[in-house]
Amino acid sequence: MRTSWRIGSLFGIEIRIDSSWIIIFTFVTWALSSVYFPNRFPGWPQWQYWIIGVVTSLLFFASVLGHELTHSLVAMRQGEEVRSITLFILGGVAELKGEPESPFKEFSMAFVGPLSSMIIALFFWALSLIFRDLNQPLWALTRYLGLINLIIGIFNLIPGFPMDGGRVLRAIIWKVTGNLRRSTRIASVAGQTIAFLFIMFGIFLIFSRAIFNGLWMVFIGWFIHSAAARGYKQVVMKDMLKDIRARDLMNREFETVSRDLPLQELIDEHILKRRQRAFLVFDRNQLDGIICLDDVKAVPRGKWTTTRVGEIMTPKEKLETVFPEDDGTSVLAKLTGKNVNQVPVVRGEKVEGILCRSDVLELLQLRAELGV
Ligand SMILES: [Zn+2]
């Protein structure tokens, strides 16, 4: 389970830190204060390494926030809704409400990220020139921040999804082909290939006895790989489900059962005869709950005669409902978000049908097999 804390808000965007950020913040501060600065600038008092280390580390994360904020501000300018920015172990993520609507929007949103890091790098580099002969600790601090922001900028220019460069690549291919799914696949394959190279290079470093840098490379590669694959899957799913409505997926011909019905009878008389996977449970013409094939399968066969529907059904209070007009993406989000297997499709007081998670997944599988 992921935990994150809200630390404030900027331009109406919520700024959060993920629990994993604490680890990386502690690590970066430690590495700067007891390895990096002492090696390059020997002779400072011990407390000074720590103060400069903490300040550098804070400014480093402020730079990452600046990078994400630039993405978000451009997105908002384009009319997108940005919910929050979360800082976590490998930088930051800005959470947008949906996928970008056009290649141009995607391009400009992605491109400003590396650009902002380069500008921040330039700013610290200019400051470092000023401090060079005036104050060694401040020179060390600004020089490091200039360098690290340059690295962040260059890293994000790598043309593989989910890096900014990969999004730029996706926008260009999208513009040329007019196909968001195909361009995401190409950018994602590029991302996974680059991730693979990172991992190979990491393994090479480990064998060359640069174990720490090697492990770090493998970790970054693994992270890029999973993010690239996940990003592609999300786009494909959203694309497949966006023009499907709950009413197209639901079963209208549903039969209702009573809560006192034993499972064995439900199986023999209803599930097998009707070949229906889920039944609404009604009590005196009122919706009481829902029972699905998956609920039945969870009960051992030997208990089918003694267990009654009411004991294992999803009761009304826990029931999620959807409207007939809800689109496939929001239906699936509801099913997975609440971790339920079925939802009644309801308009007002009237139940119009029921919809199982398997209906959505079957449709996804069918469309994936047909490539449509
Ligand atoms: Zn970025």
Side-chain angles (χ1 to χ4, degrees):
M1 205 65 284
R2 268 270 157 96
T3 359
S4 64
W5 301 280
R6 184 178 192 270
I7 53 165
S9 81
L10 275 171
F11 304 101
I13 305 165
E14 206 180 66
I15 312 293
R16 309 182 68 89
I17 49 173
D18 185 87
S19 48
S20 66
W21 180 82
I22 306 287
I23 302 168
I24 197 72
F25 178 76
T26 313
F27 175 73
V28 168
T29 307
W30 170 82
L32 287 170
S33 309
S34 49
V35 185
Y36 183 83
F37 288 134
N39 281 350
R40 277 172 184 72
F41 306 97
W44 298 357
Q46 197 61 34
W47 57 267
Q48 191 171 305
Y49 287 121
W50 282 98
I51 288 186
I52 295 295
V54 170
V55 174
T56 308
S57 196
L58 284 173
L59 285 172
F60 165 61
F61 287 104
S63 309
V64 172
L65 188 62
H67 172 117
E68 293 306 324
L69 207 56
T70 324
H71 283 308
S72 306
L73 290 178
V74 172
M76 283 161 78
R77 253 235 128 101
Q78 313 264 24
E80 301 270 336
E81 196 181 316
V82 182
R83 284 174 178 163
S84 61
I85 295 176
T86 307
L87 291 179
F88 74 117
I89 196 156
L90 271 179
V93 269
E95 198 191 323
L96 268 65
K97 218 176 160 204
E99 286 292 320
E101 291 152 19
S102 74
F104 177 73
K105 281 188 181 179
E106 167 91 332
F107 183 89
S108 45
M109 255 170 59
F111 189 71
V112 292
L115 191 69
S116 68
S117 290
M118 299 291 187
I119 291 170
I120 298 171
L122 212 63
F123 168 74
F124 282 114
W125 177 73
L127 279 183
S128 78
L129 289 185
I130 297 171
F131 289 126
R132 194 189 169 103
D133 301 315
L134 291 175
N135 184 316
Q136 199 192 44
L138 286 180
W139 176 55
L141 179 150
T142 47
R143 208 181 68 134
Y144 174 80
L145 286 167
L147 192 69
I148 197 77
N149 276 294
L150 182 68
I151 292 171
I152 294 175
I154 292 172
F155 177 78
N156 267 297
L157 279 175
I158 294 174
F161 195 75
M163 272 83 68
D164 294 335
R167 290 180 188 275
V168 169
L169 177 71
R170 172 167 88 163
I172 295 170
I173 304 172
W174 186 8
K175 177 82 191 161
V176 175
T177 62
N179 187 330
L180 174 61
R181 230 157 97 189
R182 209 162 94 202
S183 49
T184 307
R185 197 181 75 217
I186 297 170
S188 162
V189 168
Q192 292 179 49
T193 311
I194 289 158
F196 181 70
L197 293 176
F198 264 93
I199 293 172
M200 293 311 287
F201 184 57
I203 291 171
F204 168 77
L205 285 180
I206 292 170
F207 279 106
S208 318
R209 295 178 175 222
I211 293 171
F212 179 75
N213 284 336
L215 285 175
W216 190 233
M217 285 286 158
V218 171
F219 177 65
I220 292 176
W222 166 80
F223 173 79
I224 296 173
H225 186 275
S226 59
R230 198 170 51 235
Y232 174 58
K233 266 190 211 141
Q234 268 168 10
V235 169
V236 170
M237 228 158 74
K238 276 186 185 155
D239 193 44
M240 282 176 171
L241 291 172
K242 70 169 188 275
D243 37 47
I244 304 274
R245 305 279 157 223
R247 61 166 180 270
D248 306 324
L249 285 167
M250 69 184 186
N251 306 316
R252 290 162 195 274
E253 301 282 306
F254 58 93
E255 201 182 42
T256 62
V257 295
S258 128
R259 58 177 301 141
D260 299 321
L261 196 71
L263 287 193
Q264 189 66 56
E265 213 172 304
L266 175 77
I267 294 162
D268 298 338
E269 299 299 318
H270 300 273
I271 294 178
L272 292 176
K273 270 198 185 142
R274 302 271 311 189
R275 275 184 232 134
Q276 188 178 316
R277 301 179 69 94
F279 293 87
L280 291 176
V281 184
F282 270 68
D283 187 33
R284 271 168 266 131
N285 282 334
Q286 284 281 320
L287 181 63
D288 200 20
I290 197 167
I291 187 157
C292 208
L293 192 59
D294 300 316
D295 301 325
V296 179
K297 283 196 293 198
V299 178
R301 188 177 275 261
K303 292 189 174 164
W304 282 358
T305 46
T306 51
T307 311
R308 290 172 193 280
V309 165
E311 297 168 44
I312 60 161
M313 69 177 188
T314 307
K316 192 173 65 187
E317 308 82 65
K318 284 195 188 164
L319 220 55
E320 281 292 323
T321 58
V322 296
F323 294 110
E325 289 75 29
D326 284 354
D327 65 43
T329 318
S330 62
V331 170
L332 192 63
K334 212 159 214 180
L335 285 164
T336 48
K338 300 283 174 177
N339 199 23
V340 288
N341 283 319
Q342 59 280 310
V343 282
V345 184
V346 178
R347 192 197 304 275
E349 285 288 290
K350 192 171 172 284
V351 181
E352 297 209 341
I354 60 173
L355 205 162
C356 272
R357 189 199 288 241
S358 51
D359 296 326
V360 185
L361 300 180
E362 262 164 38
L363 175 87
L364 281 176
Q365 181 141 22
L366 256 169
R367 296 193 78 159
E369 275 176 39
L370 292 167
V372 292

